Amino acid sequence: MKATYASLSCSPAGSPSLLRPLRQPRVIAEIIGGILLGPSALGRSSAFLNTVFPKESLTVLDTLANIGLLFFLFLVGLELDLRAIRRTGATALVIAVAGISLPFILGIGTSFVLEHTVNRGVSTGPFLVFMGVSLSITAFPVLARILAELKLLTTDLGRMAMSAAAVNDVVAWILLALAIALSGSGSPLVSVWVLLTGAGFVVASFFLLRPILAWMARRSPEGEPVKEIYICATLSIVLAAGFVTDTIGIHALFGAFIVGIIVPKEGPFAGVLLEKVEDLISGLFLPLYFVSSGLKTNVMAIQGRDSWALLVLVVATACIGKIGGTVLASLVVRVPLREAVTLGVLMNTKGLVELIVLNIGKDRHVLNDETFAILVLMALINTFITTPVVMAIYKPARRGAPYKNRTVLRANPDDELRMLACFHSTRNIPTMINLMESSRGTRRRGITVYAMHLVELSERSSAISMVHKARRNGMPFWNKRRNGDGDGDQLVVAFETYQQLSHVSIRAMTAISDLHTIHEDVVTSAHQKRAALIVLPFHKLHQMDGHMESLGDEHQHINQRVLHHAPCSVAILVDRGLGGAAQVPASDVSYNIAVLFFGGRDDREALAYGMRMVEHPGIELHVLRFLPQSGASGDDDDEAFLADFRGNVVTRNESARYEEKTYSKKADVVGAIKAAGRCNLFLVGQGAPCVPLADRSTDCPELGPVGSYLALPEFSTVASVLVMKQYDPAAKHYDLVEEVADMAVDVDTPVRKGNRGE
């Protein structure tokens, strides 16, 4: 019960609202939560401390926290890509070495000052190494999260930072092993013996444990559930390895970390281990570790001007060492100064590994209370300042080449139609595929679709793995492939299967970002891929009883922001199961589609899309034009476009028909729509010149006056709706992409198997 309270208290569930403006990583909230529960704040009350954390419960708390930490390090090892580290370029290697060496040396210098002031009476050798390690660490998982938040992950700067941080992480663990070995009691020969036996354990793990884990992985083929006995056996091996390394005298964490590294990454075995362990560890056990660390952190132990001056000294030394070393090395390898400084600030990020080092140092009596508190605050301050400083000094411009076809309605209708179709979950896929099939037309150049899965950047440890994929495949996408073995997730497989059976070129991709900024990925990608139409899913899901259940305001805000910044036309799809719950084969497509035409550019865009869809032999198109009874003359552009539609489509295609309706009040429009008969899909313009049709106010202004009515469950429970907003080049735009005329174009056009390039 108390463990649960501690976990919830330290969980950052409520902190992001306070830290979001500064875009702080989760670890900041967890460290602060732990400190507030400790003797620095709430723990100063003996009544609170004795009630919530009585002395007899601390052993249990520490045990649970260390078990959680043990399995967290197993997960980190499980997600570590050794091959990527081996492929690290010379530039990143030089930056990593300099970013470790200078702060390590300065940390040793600072340790002499601390040793003669606040940390008297400790062994000099271990203290020097612990100080050097604590100042030279870069938190790889925290850095990955910050880069993803700032959209820097797949820039040259982001790639360099990630590569250097990966090298830094490995070196930090080696140095930590050295520090632990030196901090043990006994002669120097004992320390040498600990290091040698530790190295022997690593070798034995690769030659003895790896074959066992590989055998279990081979017996867990794709498409079949992994046996529970294999999961239990692997987790038991983690505990046993931790026991062995603890007995050797290094630390139990190293055994778990090594087991994670040697688990085969091919096939579903590693992924299932992640799914089984990560939620429990990150949701319950890791917060306990931050509580345990916070209970040891007494900020009040830093007393007097001299102690606070030492805190400033340590923070300054850490920043100068890490930033200075990184900047110098970057300038040597000819990185521009602004990028070099930004890289130095990013490499100064601390996190959980820093806390692990400090807690081990405190447990081994290398650090006293005051030194421990100073170093914890140093880690907190350095990580806290990273994001605001980077945002202030480095704002990379998003650039793209200008392009012509930004709408479905264009001068040459035979030009290729490029769509960016977004979806949140597998529920949207059948309708999206059926919409693509209905939109392919019969034109020679056809249609190219980029199907983008919108995924919220998770706070869980597996986000590191997702970040790896994003970095390998380019902003903001990753095609989910496990180390090139050809196993894809069901989302990619669904679209690739459809592509092989159709005349549509598709690339299935995933955007990983915070929901607050994921619209930037959508807009930037649409510009990079030269899309004419962005299709977004409505933020409400259709339920079995006909009602719509909201996914939340954040999903609605995504659509509204995309509409605000889009470089092309946008359509919002209210999905009520177009074609049913499964993909409909091309030969079985049979849809009735209605276009409600009131006038204006958005309605013309909807009709242009309908004209393309009616080319499909299984589509029937009914255009219902509404004219005010007052007899007001229509827009010249509307009249010309409708005349073209009647002359070139209605007269030549029996599947298309045109009808005009006059109206004087809202009831006339509603009655005409309901009298249109059975319909699978309505195409409407967002800015239709019509009074709102709904009897009550709706919370969906992005759908417009007509779309908001059609989305109500009172109107229909079976007809899907596509609300379209045409790109207006004359309107004021809030572009996220700077257009550069002479920029090289690389739109990464997918080529359908069996097609020759056009």
Side-chain angles (χ1 to χ4, degrees), residues 413-562:
D414 289 329
D415 284 347
E416 174 191 42
L417 176 64
R418 305 179 72 90
M419 291 173 54
L420 179 66
C422 305
F423 59 97
H424 294 297
S425 67
T426 54
R427 285 189 57 173
N428 303 128
I429 292 179
T431 294
M432 282 293 182
I433 291 180
N434 291 333
L435 184 66
M436 293 172 197
E437 172 61 29
S438 305
S439 308
R440 62 181 171 85
T442 57
R443 296 174 174 85
R444 184 181 70 84
R445 300 208 58 187
I447 180 173
T448 295
V449 179
Y450 296 91
M452 179 186 284
H453 186 194
L454 304 181
V455 178
E456 182 179 10
L457 182 63
S458 174
E459 292 282 8
R460 303 180 307 180
S461 58
S462 60
I464 304 169
S465 180
M466 297 167 73
V467 157
H468 273 305
K469 295 179 176 67
R471 182 168 56 92
R472 280 203 299 269
N473 290 277
M475 178 182 177
F477 306 122
W478 57 275
N479 290 337
K480 191 172 180 182
R481 290 286 186 272
R482 296 189 183 93
N483 303 316
D485 64 352
D487 294 326
D489 73 320
Q490 57 180 329
L491 306 179
V492 175
V493 170
F495 287 108
E496 289 184 347
T497 301
Y498 168 64
Q499 177 177 250
Q500 293 170 357
L501 301 174
S502 71
H503 300 280
V504 179
S505 299
I506 300 180
R507 171 141 306 171
M509 296 173 172
T510 303
I512 309 166
S513 186
D514 187 90
L515 292 182
H516 205 62
T517 59
I518 202 167
H519 69 282
E520 298 176 12
D521 296 338
V522 175
V523 171
T524 304
S525 303
H527 197 286
Q528 289 175 346
K529 305 308 177 187
R530 305 169 75 84
L533 180 65
I534 301 172
V535 181
L536 300 169
F538 189 44
H539 70 280
K540 295 182 180 180
L541 292 178
H542 180 62
Q543 303 300 311
M544 294 294 291
D545 61 0
H547 285 78
M548 308 290 283
E549 182 178 340
S550 176
L551 293 173
D553 291 341
E554 283 292 346
H555 289 78
Q556 182 180 19
H557 295 158
I558 293 171
N559 293 350
Q560 293 173 346
R561 293 184 189 113
V562 171

Side-chain angles (χ1 to χ4, degrees), residues 498-725:
Y498 168 64
Q499 177 177 250
Q500 293 170 357
L501 301 174
S502 71
H503 300 280
V504 179
S505 299
I506 300 180
R507 171 141 306 171
M509 296 173 172
T510 303
I512 309 166
S513 186
D514 187 90
L515 292 182
H516 205 62
T517 59
I518 202 167
H519 69 282
E520 298 176 12
D521 296 338
V522 175
V523 171
T524 304
S525 303
H527 197 286
Q528 289 175 346
K529 305 308 177 187
R530 305 169 75 84
L533 180 65
I534 301 172
V535 181
L536 300 169
F538 189 44
H539 70 280
K540 295 182 180 180
L541 292 178
H542 180 62
Q543 303 300 311
M544 294 294 291
D545 61 0
H547 285 78
M548 308 290 283
E549 182 178 340
S550 176
L551 293 173
D553 291 341
E554 283 292 346
H555 289 78
Q556 182 180 19
H557 295 158
I558 293 171
N559 293 350
Q560 293 173 346
R561 293 184 189 113
V562 171
L563 284 166
H564 192 63
H565 296 284
C568 60
S569 294
V570 179
I572 298 178
L573 176 63
V574 180
D575 179 12
R576 291 194 176 107
L578 178 64
Q583 174 192 339
V584 178
S587 58
D588 295 339
V589 169
S590 179
Y591 302 144
N592 292 318
I593 297 176
V595 177
L596 306 182
F597 193 95
F598 291 85
R601 62 184 315 116
D602 292 348
D603 281 13
R604 292 197 296 272
E605 186 78 350
L607 180 53
Y609 193 60
M611 290 166 63
R612 185 180 187 93
M613 297 179 80
V614 79
E615 294 176 8
H616 194 291
I619 300 291
E620 290 191 6
L621 180 67
H622 181 195
V623 177
L624 202 58
R625 185 189 186 187
F626 291 92
L627 294 168
Q629 206 169 44
S630 59
S633 59
D635 183 89
D636 291 342
D637 292 333
D638 291 341
E639 297 299 336
F641 186 58
L642 288 170
D644 177 71
F645 168 70
R646 291 192 296 266
N648 295 319
V649 179
V650 177
T651 58
R652 299 178 183 179
N653 191 336
E654 296 180 353
S655 298
R657 59 194 178 100
Y658 174 82
E659 185 179 358
E660 292 185 352
K661 296 283 187 180
T662 59
Y663 69 94
S664 60
K665 54 184 182 297
K666 178 173 66 175
D668 297 337
V669 177
V670 172
I673 295 174
K674 291 184 176 180
R678 178 182 172 272
C679 187
N680 301 101
L681 177 67
F682 283 96
L683 298 178
V684 299
Q686 185 212 44
C690 174
V691 296
L693 300 181
D695 291 328
R696 54 186 173 86
S697 61
T698 67
D699 56 353
C700 310
E702 67 274 14
L703 297 184
V706 181
S708 297
Y709 169 70
L710 298 178
L712 293 175
E714 299 92 87
F715 168 72
S716 175
T717 59
V718 294
S720 296
V721 183
L722 194 67
V723 181
M724 305 194 68
K725 179 177 176 59

